[in-house]
C-alpha cells in the first residue's frame, strides 16, 4: 500500500533517472530511495546533521536553503525578543543548535529526494530523447562546491567586518 507522495513518486521513477540527477553519492541515495519505496518514512542523514545549510548548497537545494535560512533567522529573532537572557546561556545555544541540526539530519533525505523528483519531472516534461534527458538531469543535479564556498566566504567577510568594527 502506498502511503505518501514520496513513496508513490519513487515507485514511478526509474533508478537511472535518479542516478543521473544525483551524480556523486548516487548509490547512497538509491539505497535511501529503495527504503522509502519499501515504506520507510525517514532515514537519518549524518552529513546533513553536521553540515546543515552547507550540505543543502552542495546538493544545489537552493530553495530549501533559503527557507531554512529564513526559519533560522526568524528563530534567532524570536529567541532574542522572547528570551533575551537565555541567548547568553551557552548551554541554551548548544541545545538549540543540536535540535536544529537533528531536525535537518532527520528530514534531509526526504527533502533531497523530493527535490530530485521535482527536477526529474521538470526535465521529463521537456519531452527530450533519453540521452538528452539524462544529460539535462546531470546538468541540473549533481553537486557544486560554489554555494558552500560562497557562503563560507560571506561568513568570513562578515566576521572580519565585525572584528574591524568593534
Amino acid at each position: 500500500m502506498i502511503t505518501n507522495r514520496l513513496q508513490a513518486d519513487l515507485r514511478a521513477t526509474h533508478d537511472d533517472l535518479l542516478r543521473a540527477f544525483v551524480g556523486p553519492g548516487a548509490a547512497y541515495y538509491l539505497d535511501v530511495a529503495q527504503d522509502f519505496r519499501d515504506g520507510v518514512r525517514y532515514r537519518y542523514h549524518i552529513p546533513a546533521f553536521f553540515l546543515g545549510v552547507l550540505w543543502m548548497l552542495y546538493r544545489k537545494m537552493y530553495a530549501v536553503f533559503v527557507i531554512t535560512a529564513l526559519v533560522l533567522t526568524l528563530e534567532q529573532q524570536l529567541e532574542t525578543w522572547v528570551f533575551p537572557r537565555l541567548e547568553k546561556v551557552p548551554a541554551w545555544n548548544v541545545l538549540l543548535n543540536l535540535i536544529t541540526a537533528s531536525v535537518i539530519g532527520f528530514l534531509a533525505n526526504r527533502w533531497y529526494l523530493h527535490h530530485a523528483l521535482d527536477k526529474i519531472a521538470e526535465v521529463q516534461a521537456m519531452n527530450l530523447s533519453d540521452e538528452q534527458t539524462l544529460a539535462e538531469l546531470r546538468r541540473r543535479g549533481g553537486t557544486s562546491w560554489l554555494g558552500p564556498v560562497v557562503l563560507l566566504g560571506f561568513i568570513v567577510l562578515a566576521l572580519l567586518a565585525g572584528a574591524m568594527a568593534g
Side-chain angles (χ1 to χ4, degrees), residues 115-162:
H115 169 72
L117 292 170
D118 288 345
K119 296 297 181 186
I120 289 168
E122 286 175 16
V123 171
Q124 286 180 317
M126 297 168 70
N127 293 318
L128 303 170
S129 71
D130 290 346
E131 211 172 277
Q132 290 172 320
T133 296
L134 293 175
E136 183 64 16
L137 287 172
R138 285 185 201 100
R139 188 185 70 75
R140 291 184 183 206
T143 59
S144 173
W145 285 103
L146 181 61
V149 168
V150 168
L151 179 61
L152 288 172
F154 177 77
I155 290 169
V156 167
L157 289 175
L159 290 171
L160 287 173

Side-chain angles (χ1 to χ4, degrees), residues 6 13 27 75 91-92 101 113 119-120 141 154:
L6 180 61
T13 302
E75 180 274 326
W92 174 254
L113 288 175
K119 296 297 181 186
I120 289 168
F154 177 77

Side-chain angles (χ1 to χ4, degrees), residues 48-63:
F49 170 85
F50 286 108
L51 300 173
V53 294
L54 294 173
W55 170 81
M56 292 172 198
L57 291 172
Y58 176 70
R59 280 286 167 192
K60 299 182 181 180
M61 297 173 49
Y62 305 121

Side-chain angles (χ1 to χ4, degrees), residues 64-77:
V64 174
F65 164 76
V66 169
I67 292 167
T68 302
L70 290 173
V71 167
L72 292 175
T73 301
L74 178 62
E75 180 274 326
Q76 181 65 41
Q77 287 303 310

